[in-house]
Structures are given as structure tokens and as C-alpha cells.
Amino acid sequence: SQQGEEDPQALSIQEGENATMNCSYKTSINNLQWYRQNSGRGLVHLILIRSNEREKHSGRLRVTLDTSKKSSSLLITASRAADTASYFCATVVQGGSEKLVFGKGTKLTVNP
Amino acid sequence: EAQVTQNPRYLITVTGKKLTVTCSQNMNHEYMSWYRQDPGLGLRQIYYSMNVEVTDKGDVPEGYKVSRKEKRNFPLILESPSPNQTSLYFCASSAGPGETQYFGPGTRLLVL
């Protein structure tokens, strides 16, 4: 089952530009997480935002959550070539099983 | 150092030859899970475990078995591997399904 869907599937920008990725989900959630994956490696946790939060910051990352629209966005400001990676959102369905469901990811390429 | 380890990292095998991929974590986490990652399909959860002796199916459990006899270990067993199980496998652990997941480095499996 696909709970989270990232958009766009791929994004290519120049260094210094901002990158925005979106995640939409289908059912109510307790929280939403964003992860980053460098090619073929294990995922690394970036940010967790709870359902009662609307916005969260961590360094150059800004995550928003709109529970009424069932969507979240990840903004990376002043991107660097080292930000090149795939980004995934993940959710656990509220009141459901304990499965954690990942989206298919957005592949970000930051060109130097 | 807090970590999740997987072994082996790379494995080539033949159809029908039973194999086990080990996963171990040193963070005293209760929640552990296995994922497979395939191009275009993102991460899909195979099995998860809420605690010792408590396991449950994820989204793609067919052809896999798991066990959780100790809190730190969560091996993935392929009793009779088939070519469609060729994939990149990740183990992860956390305090709970909705909490930060710590991923292992991945195991690349090729079934001939």
C-alpha cells in the first residue's frame, strides 16, 4: 500500500537555488518523517514533524505539514552539490497497524 | 557508536538455496523492520517486529521469514530464494514505528 507519494519524482537545480519537494498521503497520521538517501546507501533521518505541528526547521531544511490537505513539503535552501540524493517521506497510519510506509522518493540533483 | 549492522553486504546466490541476512542493533530499540528497495518502487516493508517474539507482516512478506529471539537481532530468512527477490535490502531499528528509524548500510542480493 502506498501511503506517501513524493512529487516531483526528479528535480534538477543549480547550486544556491532552493529545492522544494512535496509529499501527499491518504489517511490520518500521527507524524511524518523525511529521510535522505545517497545513492545505494542506507537512509538517514532528516526531520520528524508531528500532526499538531505546522512547520519545523533544521539548518537549511524547512518542513511544513498541512493535515487538512494531507500533504507535507521539504524545502532545502541554498542547495549544495552535496545535497544531491533521494528524499523520502514516511508515515504511520493513525490508529492502524504499526507499519511504516515510505513514498517512492524524489531524486534531487544539484548541479555545481 | 549507535549503529545497525547487516551482513553480508553483498550476496550472489542461486535459486532455491536458503540464505539468512543478519541484522543487529546496539541501541536497545524495540522496533525493527526489514525493507526491500527496487528501482521505481521505493522502499517497501517486508516484516516488522514490535518486540522480542512479536513480528508482523509488512507490505511484501511473501517468500521471507523473520525471527526476533533477542532484542538486538532481527534476521531475514529466504528459505527458497527466487530471482524476483533480487533487490537491495535494508534493516532498520527505532524506539517505535513513528520514531526516527536508524538504517543499516544495506545488503545487495542477486539471485541467479
Side-chain angles (χ1 to χ4, degrees):
Chain A
S1 59
Q2 201 69 40
Q3 166 71 333
E5 291 279 353
E6 292 90 346
D7 169 64
Q9 290 185 337
L11 181 60
S12 181
I13 59 174
Q14 296 298 124
E15 247 185 343
E17 294 180 339
N18 295 342
T20 300
M21 288 157 270
N22 302 297
C23 170
S24 59
Y25 56 91
K26 296 173 185 170
T27 58
S28 296
I29 58 172
N30 288 323
N31 63 46
L32 185 144
Q33 302 177 48
W34 283 93
Y35 288 82
R36 163 195 169 126
Q37 182 184 34
N38 289 88
S39 181
R41 301 195 172 202
L43 279 72
V44 175
H45 180 258
L46 296 176
I47 285 185
L48 182 154
I49 186 165
R50 302 199 183 275
S51 58
N52 61 354
E53 297 176 308
R54 291 296 166 257
E55 188 170 311
K56 209 162 182 180
H57 296 255
S58 177
R60 293 183 294 112
L61 306 180
R62 173 178 165 247
V63 167
T64 61
L65 180 64
D66 187 335
T67 53
S68 66
K69 294 182 179 177
K70 292 187 170 57
S71 68
S72 172
S73 67
L74 170 66
L75 168 67
I76 303 174
T77 59
S79 63
R80 306 165 182 167
D83 294 328
T84 294
S86 291
Y87 294 83
F88 297 86
C89 66
T91 58
V92 177
V93 175
Q94 190 178 65
S97 72
E98 304 301 330
K99 292 192 292 184
L100 180 64
V101 181
F102 284 80
K104 294 181 182 178
T106 291
K107 188 168 185 177
L108 173 66
T109 302
V110 181
N111 301 300
Chain B
E1 180 192 352
Q3 60 180 353
V4 178
T5 57
Q6 292 179 230
N7 282 293
R9 295 288 313 281
Y10 304 91
L11 181 58
I12 301 174
T13 189
V14 295
T15 298
K17 187 176 181 182
K18 181 179 178 179
L19 66 92
T20 299
V21 184
T22 64
C23 173
S24 184
Q25 51 96 1
N26 63 0
M27 294 167 277
N28 201 36
H29 284 158
E30 293 188 345
Y31 187 86
M32 296 186 74
S33 53
W34 276 102
Y35 299 87
R36 62 177 289 175
Q37 185 174 30
D38 303 287
L41 296 178
L43 265 79
R44 293 179 293 167
Q45 195 176 50
I46 303 171
Y47 269 95
Y48 63 94
S49 170
M50 292 294 292
N51 212 325
V52 174
E53 302 292 1
V54 181
T55 63
D56 210 343
K57 297 177 181 178
D59 289 322
V60 288
E62 295 77 20
Y64 304 95
K65 282 176 58 177
V66 292
S67 69
R68 187 93 182 271
K69 293 182 169 49
E70 305 166 280
K71 199 170 188 179
R72 63 182 292 127
N73 296 323
F74 190 45
L76 179 70
I77 303 156
L78 284 72
E79 295 265 0
S80 184
S82 62
N84 65 12
Q85 292 178 299
T86 292
S87 187
L88 177 57
Y89 291 87
F90 290 102
C91 178
S93 76
S94 68
E99 303 302 321
T100 299
Q101 303 293 310
Y102 294 84
F103 280 81
T107 295
R108 282 201 182 274
L109 172 65
L110 173 60
V111 183
L112 301 173

